[in-house]
Amino acid sequence: MIDCKSSMTSRATHRHAIESAAVRAHLQLVAWTVLPLYYVFDSLDILTPYDALTAGQAGPHSVAGSGAPYLLVATARCRTFDSTFGSRRRPSVASDAA
């Protein structure tokens, strides 16, 4: 799982912005290691690098920050945390057994 530090989320446009170079690097990592990789956003939206590549649109070039190209992905295209990883299980407590 990757906490998406090379990304940001716009609350006004409901899109996640992910650095294009990060997506390409993560696609190569997934192909090389055959391990799953997920972007987890602060809203607990989930994307894979493949999701970001296929659902994303190239963002406008910006001179602010690093100026790196990025992809915009609508939050509606994301998976939920629970649907991807399952709902959180509450650990059993000794008092529950009595």
Side-chain angles (χ1 to χ4, degrees), residues 1-2 26-27 29-40 46-50 79 84-85:
M1 207 175 336
I2 296 212
H26 294 147
L27 283 168
L29 180 66
V30 168
W32 180 58
T33 62
V34 193
L35 293 172
L37 187 140
Y38 300 94
Y39 301 123
V40 180
I46 304 290
L47 283 173
T48 66
Y50 181 76
R79 303 172 195 183
T84 304
F85 300 108

Side-chain angles (χ1 to χ4, degrees), residues 74-87:
T75 57
R77 301 292 304 260
C78 295
R79 303 172 195 183
T80 64
F81 191 90
D82 287 348
S83 71
T84 304
F85 300 108
S87 60

Side-chain angles (χ1 to χ4, degrees), residues 8-25:
M8 59 189 158
T9 303
S10 169
R11 305 247 187 262
T13 62
H14 304 286
R15 295 184 295 189
H16 297 298
I18 308 169
E19 189 176 339
S20 298
V23 171
R24 286 192 307 277

Side-chain angles (χ1 to χ4, degrees), residues 48-65:
T48 66
Y50 181 76
D51 295 336
L53 183 67
T54 58
Q57 298 177 322
H61 183 71
S62 173
V63 293

